[in-house]
Every structure is written in C-alpha cells, then in structure tokens.
Amino acid sequence: MAQIHVTAQEAAEALRQRGYAVLNPRELSRLVEVELTELEAWKPLWEELPRDPHLKDLGSYRARRHGCFVGGAAGGLEAVPHRAHWQSEDYNALHGGMERWFEPLTPTLVETPAWQHLVGGLGTLFSRVRNVDRWYIEAHQFRIDTAEGMGRPTPEGAHRDGVDFVAVILVDRRNVLGGETRVFDADGPDGWRFEMTQPWTALLLDDPRVIHESTPIRPLDPQMIGSRDTLVLTYRQGGFQAPEASLQGAAGP
C-alpha cells in the first residue's frame, strides 16, 4: 500500500484507525508549533555523534546519543539523570537483556525551546490517542553510514520497541540508496512500505499495534560515504524499561 501522509489535525485519528501516521515536514511543524528553520539548526549536531559500542554484529556503521525525559499530557518536559538504555529480549532479540550506555544528548540540543515543543508536543498528541498523564520518554540521535559498504538502521530486524508510541523523524539523508521504511500490522496481514526522503518527515507508531523496520542503506555514489540521520523518540507509560521492571512484571523501575 502506498504511503499516506496526514495533516496535523488528522494524526490522532490515523493512529487510532491504522496504528501509524506519516507527517510531511510542514505538518510536523504545525503539529508541534516549531518552525522548520529551528529544526534545521540542529543538523550539525549529528556530526558529533560517538560510535555505538554495543553492536553485536561487530559493525561500526552506527553512531548515537541518548537521553531520557519525563513529560506530561500538557507538554511539559523534564530531563532525568542519565541512564542506560535497556530493552527485553522479547522486543530486541539482538541487543535485548543488556544495559547499553551511550553518550548523552548535548545541552545545545535539549536546552532549546524547539526541543521542548517537539518532544512535548508529540507527547500531547499521544495523550489524545491513549489517556496517559505522564510519559517516560527516551530520545535517540542516530547516524547510520555506509563507510563499511552498507549500514543497517535496524539490525534487529522488524520489531516493536516495548513502549506505547514511537516517533521516527528523518533529519537528513545523503548519498543513500535504500533505507525503506516498513510497517506491519502486528496482528494481521496488512503492511506498508515507503521511503522517507524529506528531512523532518515524521513516522508516528502505536507500538503495541504495529511492527516496524528500515532496510539497509548503501551509497548512491560508491566513491563517497552515504549517511542517514534520524531522531527516534519513544513514549511509555508507567516508567522506563529496566531489568528490574522485567523481573518484577512491573511497568517501571
């Protein structure tokens, strides 16, 4: 099925009906009340990402930073002390069951008003779909590159993240072939595939209802390195994913 873009006003209903919504850059800007010029100012920060030290396929094609926040339905946002990223093996068969520490997001990013509006605004939208007053939010800056010939945006394959909602926002892509986004109904036969090509296009996912992945990338011009930059935000009620939560059957630490 072809990609379906929705307006900012239609996003909540699209999530209710289909489990996913795709916003073009203009509609994302309208939804979170941030000018695209403010988002564009963030792009140089993706040049400063340390390499991911935890890839079990022994690749070095991924760089990232990570941060955690708590936000209310009304959009307020508060940073929490830096913590490890953790997922159970139920959701990430490749990297689940291990605490992964990454370098934190920089103040240059998280102290901007645009960050508060973007992350908080998406939380407000998700609270319209699912009645949650307090979101536990993880933010990931990713760069996938082709320095080794190919890069894998989702080395774990098609997956869910173990949260309530996910936002995958394309920041930039340069000299890249591939990186097709695929979304599948978790309990049915339907699936959708498309490429996110415009910076600041946003894919919003109701995580319990759909499975998602992005296909590997390779360079358009083999003489140059290609890269695909994204910002991934996850929203979970009850608490952050953590080993003790998994052992206790609880939602949070």
Side-chain angles (χ1 to χ4, degrees):
M1 184 178 295
Q3 178 181 3
I4 299 175
H5 287 88
V6 300
T7 67
Q9 292 75 20
E10 296 167 337
E13 187 60 23
L15 285 165
R16 293 188 194 100
Q17 294 295 324
R18 305 178 63 83
Y20 84 101
V22 182
L23 298 174
N24 68 30
R26 182 179 61 183
E27 294 301 326
L28 175 65
S29 172
R30 288 176 176 171
L31 177 69
V32 299
E33 299 181 347
V34 174
E35 295 294 332
L36 289 175
T37 53
E38 297 177 83
L39 300 178
E40 284 288 308
W42 292 347
K43 281 187 175 180
L45 300 177
W46 267 256
E47 304 292 337
E48 305 169 2
L49 303 184
R51 289 290 165 178
D52 184 336
H54 300 292
L55 286 171
K56 284 191 172 181
D57 63 4
L58 304 181
S60 61
Y61 51 82
R62 183 161 75 182
R64 68 193 293 180
R65 289 183 183 272
H66 170 245
C68 293
F69 305 83
V70 175
L77 191 66
E78 178 183 352
V80 302
H82 195 54
R83 55 183 289 132
H85 176 52
W86 188 90
Q87 294 173 292
S88 77
E89 292 177 292
D90 293 336
Y91 295 110
N92 191 326
L94 185 61
H95 297 112
M98 58 187 288
E99 288 193 340
R100 289 182 285 166
W101 287 93
F102 301 105
E103 290 298 313
L105 304 177
T106 62
T108 307
L109 177 65
V110 302
E111 292 181 2
T112 62
W115 181 259
Q116 291 279 330
H117 284 289
L118 175 70
V119 181
L122 288 171
T124 299
L125 169 69
F126 296 144
S127 291
R128 290 169 52 198
V129 181
R130 191 163 297 143
N131 187 20
V132 176
D133 293 330
R134 187 174 177 85
W135 291 116
Y136 293 81
I137 304 162
E138 295 194 51
H140 307 261
Q141 282 180 278
F142 285 108
R143 168 166 287 182
I144 308 298
D145 69 37
T146 64
E148 297 176 332
M150 182 174 67
R152 297 176 176 87
T154 52
E156 63 272 38
H159 65 284
R160 290 162 53 208
D161 285 347
V163 298
D164 286 273
F165 294 98
V166 179
V168 181
I169 302 171
L170 180 68
V171 175
D172 206 358
R173 53 180 284 157
R174 291 168 289 191
N175 191 42
V176 164
L177 290 172
E180 180 182 74
T181 298
R182 297 176 178 178
V183 180
F184 308 96
D185 189 329
D187 298 313
D190 292 336
W192 304 270
R193 50 195 295 176
F194 48 88
E195 284 190 5
M196 298 166 64
T197 57
Q198 284 187 288
W200 311 111
T201 299
L203 169 65
L204 311 181
L205 303 165
D206 186 332
D207 192 56
R209 293 180 55 190
V210 296
I211 299 168
H212 66 281
E213 68 175 339
S214 296
T215 61
I217 62 172
R218 63 184 190 277
L220 179 64
D221 179 351
Q223 303 304 313
M224 300 174 61
I225 295 174
S227 61
R228 181 177 185 265
D229 297 344
T230 55
L231 173 65
V232 176
L233 305 166
T234 65
Y235 294 73
R236 189 172 189 264
Q237 59 183 309
F240 296 107
Q241 295 184 86
E244 58 268 29
S246 177
L247 291 172
Q248 296 169 8

